[in-house]
Amino acid sequence: MKRRSFLKKSSLLTAGTLFTPLFLQQTLGQIQEEYKGKRIVIIQFSGGNDGLNTVIPYLDDNYYKARPNIAIQKENLIQLDNNLGINGQMKGFADLFHKGYVSIINNVGYPNPNRSHFRSMDIWHTASDANQYLNTGWLGRYMDANCSKPREGIELDNTLSLAMKGSKIKGIAVDNPYTFYNTLKVGQFDTLASGDVENLNEENQGYLYKTLTEANQSAEYIYQHSKVYKSKTTFPDTALGKNLKSIAELIQSGMDSKVYYASLGGFDTHASQIPQQNKLLKQYSEGVSAFVEELEKTDHFKDTVIMTFSEFGRRVKQNASKGTDHGAANNVFIISKHLKKEGIINENPDLVNLNRGDLIHSVDFRSIYADLLNNWLNVSSSEIMSKNINELSLI
């Protein structure tokens, strides 16, 4: 059979099964049983969150000397331990901390830090060295080695982050499951199969057909699962809150995705930092608190680890605009029921011994990735990252 004839015939067959109601797909063997394995949820603070006004060294006089106008005062924070406090807008997060669900890692970064948003984010996304350029992400490479379908990595956004791109498998960016599903209609199969697309030979027509098939399968799968479970927990009415609610519902629907990714932007606080950052930290705290509450209701939190990071921290000293400029080392949060080490994991930020006005990192961010890969997702981190990295052993 010629490729074009095959495409015409198989397009009808495939489209017919892709857009069959869920109960009929189950009869046809298209839907698998509920996924009961482990998963990770990544929350990205885009713009460079100021870690010192998030986890505050409130007994260090150097902090208040460096930030006479923007330091968080003691009455506006929640005490944790190790002479550190959390921003007072983060009550929900503080509650998780006091339950023993949170690890806070201070002074996280990498050698020769880059202060460009784009380059530093690429370094975090790809787990590369500062002078190394990779075109696949650390989660994408994990999916290449351990997943068979793009839908096993879901990003709640309209574009896919580099972190989620592998060489063979790329995750799927889904802003809204229904919109994603509705943009991929059966008619696209007919157009492709008819040969009415310009500049396509039979070989790349087949490749496009395969790609479209995979996209439609994922769109149908995600959309149908998005209708299975509806949360009754009150999530904040913010973009992050809505995305975390969607992730919770997809998890509780039994989807087989192992990686979920969400972002919160606006942290590039060069001016008037306090109101902007406080607003964002409150959104994060309320969102992640509701997320954990929801997953605990259905016993899915025990199989979920949440990591929160930003591409860099901010300078120790405030600037003339009551903000902070691009810095280096920062804090990372791990939220889980299965922490070997909880609370404040390592030493407090050193505000005296700085590198060009920036905090000096003592923890390589890739050691956190290695821990998640080795001890939570049960894969070899040395096969995912470009070199052996000592894990932090938190999970």
Side-chain angles (χ1 to χ4, degrees), residues 41-334:
V41 178
I42 309 296
I43 302 176
Q44 172 181 303
F45 285 169
S46 301
N49 178 47
D50 180 20
L52 286 175
N53 274 19
T54 305
V55 182
I56 299 120
Y58 64 93
L59 291 183
D60 191 334
D61 290 339
N62 294 297
Y63 168 70
Y64 293 98
K65 290 176 183 177
R67 300 177 168 212
N69 302 115
I70 68 166
I72 304 297
Q73 301 303 313
K74 295 174 185 177
E75 61 269 22
N76 294 323
L77 58 80
I78 302 168
Q79 292 187 15
L80 301 178
D81 52 33
N82 211 36
N83 297 328
L84 294 174
I86 198 75
N87 188 296
Q89 300 297 317
M90 301 177 67
K91 184 182 182 303
F93 181 89
D95 290 343
L96 295 176
F97 181 93
H98 291 301
K99 281 184 177 180
Y101 288 176
V102 177
S103 292
I104 296 176
I105 310 104
N106 295 312
N107 309 312
V108 182
Y110 53 90
N112 304 310
N114 193 300
R115 291 171 181 80
S116 160
H117 291 292
F118 305 105
R119 178 59 192 144
S120 191
M121 191 64 83
D122 280 356
I123 291 168
W124 278 81
H125 279 185
T126 64
S128 70
D129 292 330
N131 61 353
Q132 182 184 24
Y133 293 81
L134 302 177
N135 56 16
T136 58
W138 73 284
L139 295 169
R141 296 194 295 274
Y142 160 74
M143 289 189 286
D144 276 345
N146 299 279
C147 301
S148 59
K149 298 172 286 294
R151 71 177 188 234
E152 292 181 64
I154 302 293
E155 180 163 4
L156 269 293
D157 205 334
N158 53 18
T159 58
L160 190 68
S161 298
L162 177 57
M164 300 283 282
K165 296 179 181 179
S167 58
K168 295 183 296 184
I169 293 183
K170 295 175 174 59
I172 293 177
V174 181
D175 193 25
N176 176 284
Y178 175 73
T179 302
F180 179 56
Y181 163 78
N182 210 37
T183 56
L184 295 169
K185 290 297 188 181
V186 179
Q188 296 183 46
F189 281 99
D190 297 333
T191 301
L192 188 59
S194 69
D196 291 336
V197 183
E198 294 182 0
N199 302 318
L200 287 182
N201 58 35
E202 290 189 352
E203 181 176 351
N204 55 29
Q205 187 178 12
Y207 170 78
L208 283 178
Y209 177 77
K210 177 179 180 293
T211 302
L212 188 59
T213 299
E214 290 176 347
N216 271 279
Q217 288 173 333
S218 296
E220 171 76 1
Y221 183 90
I222 295 167
Y223 173 59
Q224 295 293 357
H225 279 74
S226 73
K227 299 187 294 182
V228 170
Y229 182 92
K230 293 301 177 184
S231 168
K232 293 181 175 60
T233 299
T234 301
F235 281 76
D237 187 21
T238 62
L240 180 65
K242 292 173 182 175
N243 286 341
L244 290 177
K245 181 179 181 181
S246 293
I247 291 173
E249 290 173 345
L250 292 174
I251 290 172
Q252 291 161 317
S253 75
M255 267 187 62
D256 57 6
S257 302
K258 300 173 178 65
V259 180
Y260 294 89
Y261 205 102
S263 298
L264 178 62
F267 285 98
D268 196 16
T269 50
H270 290 282
S272 303
Q273 173 175 301
I274 286 184
Q276 174 69 2
Q277 188 194 27
N278 283 358
K279 177 185 72 173
L280 295 173
L281 292 178
K282 183 178 182 180
Q283 290 179 12
Y284 166 75
S285 175
E286 291 178 347
V288 78
S289 175
F291 183 69
V292 171
E293 177 188 341
E294 177 58 41
L295 292 189
E296 285 198 299
K297 289 179 180 178
T298 53
D299 203 31
H300 286 90
F301 182 51
K302 65 179 174 53
D303 300 315
T304 305
V305 167
I306 307 160
M307 185 191 84
T308 303
F309 80 99
S310 193
E311 70 265 36
F312 47 60
R314 315 295 291 189
R315 294 200 152 226
V316 172
K317 287 187 176 182
Q318 70 173 65
N319 61 26
S321 301
K322 297 183 180 179
T324 50
D325 298 323
H326 300 179
N330 207 350
N331 34 55
V332 168
F333 305 144
I334 301 293

Side-chain angles (χ1 to χ4, degrees), residues 10-28:
S10 59
S11 68
L12 296 175
L13 173 62
T14 308
T17 56
L18 288 177
F19 294 93
T20 301
L22 183 61
F23 72 94
L24 289 180
Q25 287 199 24
Q26 289 172 325
T27 303
L28 295 170

